[in-house]
């Protein structure tokens, strides 16, 4: 299955939580990424055509998460080079059930985050 990759420092700098810096430190992105991994584990599929043709790649998605934990929007910021992989990543995140933000954040509010998804074939 595709993997959710750790972000590089440059990508983390692009993450833009909407917050009041004087009151709330913002979303705990590492913990929210963990919640996403839990929710996405069963939803990600490696497209059969891509698998047969040996296509691999990394998709960088920008997600808008609502205060209620729902994915409000998702867009490809940087494609993998294969539209089929990009579309599969978008499809997986768009239908997610709401994330339980209250488990990791005292005062959830809407925010944006980047989510890298790597499609890599493994031998065996």
């Amino acid at each position: 299955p595709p993997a959710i990759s750790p972000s590089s420092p440059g990508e983390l700098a692009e993450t833009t939580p909407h917050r009041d810096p004087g009151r709330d430190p913002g979303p705990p992105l590492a913990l929210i990424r963990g919640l996403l991994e839990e929710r996405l584990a069963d939803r990600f599929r490696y497209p059969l055509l891509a698998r047969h043709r040996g296509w691999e790649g990394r998709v960088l998605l920008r997600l808008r998460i609502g205060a209620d934990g729902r994915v409000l929007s998702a867009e490809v910021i940087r494609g993998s080079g294969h539209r089929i992989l990009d579309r599969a990543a978008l499809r997986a995140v768009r239908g997610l059930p709401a994330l339980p933000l209250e488990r990791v954040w005292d005062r959830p509010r809407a925010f944006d985050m980047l989510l890298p998804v790597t499609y890599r074939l493994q031998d065996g």
Side-chain angles (χ1 to χ4, degrees):
I4 298 173
S5 304
S7 295
S8 69
E11 288 168 348
L12 288 177
E14 293 177 42
T15 304
T16 56
H18 296 273
R19 64 180 188 254
D20 177 353
R23 294 180 174 221
D24 187 351
L29 294 175
L31 295 174
I32 292 170
R33 189 177 306 272
L35 293 174
L36 278 168
E37 288 175 4
E38 288 174 17
R39 300 286 172 146
L40 290 171
D42 294 332
R43 297 190 52 82
F44 271 121
R45 301 288 179 259
Y46 210 120
L48 192 57
L49 176 63
R51 200 176 329 165
H52 285 305
R53 294 191 177 174
W55 293 343
E56 298 180 325
R58 188 166 188 257
V59 183
L60 183 61
L61 303 176
R62 180 183 308 277
L63 306 180
R64 176 77 171 155
I65 311 288
D68 62 357
R70 289 183 304 120
V71 175
L72 301 177
S73 66
E75 65 179 316
V76 174
I77 297 300
R78 190 175 329 134
S80 65
H82 303 287
R83 290 185 70 194
I84 194 168
L85 297 179
D86 301 347
R87 286 192 309 256
L90 281 172
R91 218 175 6 258
V93 298
R94 284 186 173 150
L96 279 178
L99 300 170
L101 294 180
E102 66 282 351
R103 284 184 12 202
V104 297
W105 193 8
D106 290 338
R107 296 185 330 196
R109 64 183 65 152
F111 65 98
D112 296 336
M113 72 178 291
L114 297 178
L115 180 69
V117 179
T118 301
Y119 289 87
R120 185 175 333 140
L121 296 168
Q122 297 181 8
D123 295 330

